[in-house]
Amino acid sequence: LVSRLGSRAIVFVGLMGAGKTSIGRRVAQALDLPFVDSDHEIETVSRLTVPELFERYGEPEFRALEHRVIERLVREGAGVVSTGGGAFMNAQTRTIVAEHAISVWLKADLDVLMDRVSKRQTRPLLKTADPRATMAKLMDDRYPTYAQADLTIESRDEKREVITAEVIEAL
Ligand code: S3P
């Protein structure tokens, strides 16, 4: 499998709470590849947290930085990259990912997403009066675009090991 990947990265896309970081990390471990989370990388290069970036510079600046970081990561080649939920909505990012990586959409239903994000309330986009309605709207807006990923894996409320194995099987 690793030789079939060549220099291509494996890029996880999908909504907040879909499990991109935890499954991505496990897939990387299983394949003995480096793992990078794009939000974490953005925080490292900017020396700010994602909520701080949104607050101080606004979402468009965050998106521009996100694109540059992901472009660099996928061009660097082999490895596993988990992206923030909005990253794949950028057409330029999708083009770069299509050229240099295999993309995996971790798809989850609303209950699973809300259950996972409620455990860690650090998402600026969900600081709304009704986070569940906001998430439902994001599903409507984004699912047609996420569906352009090379692979789709259902991230059900199941053991992470099972989902990890399903991803590796599908690659
Ligand atoms: C976002 C998702 C977040 C983070 C930022 C915006 C989005 O990443 O990049 O809060 O637009 O869906 P996670 O998907 O890792 O939570």
Side-chain angles (χ1 to χ4, degrees):
L1 168 60
V2 171
S3 65
R4 196 154 54 79
L5 287 170
S7 60
R8 282 181 301 170
I10 300 167
V11 173
F12 282 90
V13 306
L15 271 177
M16 301 169 269
K20 293 165 298 208
T21 304
S22 70
I23 302 298
R25 187 173 282 127
R26 282 176 170 77
V27 168
Q29 257 163 19
L31 300 179
D32 200 19
L33 291 170
F35 171 76
V36 187
D37 174 82
S38 72
D39 282 337
H40 187 256
E41 186 68 13
I42 289 165
E43 292 184 334
T44 303
V45 300
S46 67
R47 298 202 184 91
L48 293 170
T49 65
V50 170
E52 282 168 347
L53 273 166
F54 267 73
E55 220 168 279
R56 291 196 203 173
Y57 300 104
E59 184 174 347
E61 268 306 307
F62 171 80
R63 297 300 177 197
L65 179 57
E66 179 174 53
H67 173 71
R68 290 201 299 276
V69 162
I70 293 171
E71 170 159 22
R72 174 170 57 76
L73 292 174
V74 299
R75 279 188 193 281
E76 276 170 9
V80 178
V81 179
S82 71
T83 62
F88 205 61
M89 301 308 294
N90 179 318
Q92 279 179 292
T93 304
R94 286 200 299 281
T95 302
I96 292 287
V97 168
E99 282 170 7
H100 298 276
I102 297 181
S103 49
V104 182
W105 173 24
L106 284 185
K107 185 179 181 186
D109 69 26
L110 187 54
D111 286 337
V112 171
L113 296 171
M114 290 315 292
D115 186 51
R116 299 223 190 100
V117 296
S118 61
K119 287 175 185 144
R120 202 168 53 91
Q121 268 302 9
T122 56
R123 272 91 169 189
L125 293 188
L126 295 179
K127 284 194 170 163
T128 62
D130 187 350
R132 191 180 171 87
T134 304
M135 186 69 97
K137 170 96 172 48
L138 286 170
M139 289 173 77
D140 283 349
D141 292 346
R142 292 178 174 182
Y143 275 21
T145 305
Y146 291 153
Q148 296 174 31
D150 298 316
L151 302 170
T152 298
I153 300 291
E154 300 268 349
S155 175
R156 292 171 303 272
D157 203 10
E158 207 180 284
K159 272 189 162 310
R160 289 166 178 164
E161 289 70 25
V162 176
I163 313 282
T164 303
E166 281 178 23
V167 171
I168 292 171
E169 175 78 27
L171 280 169

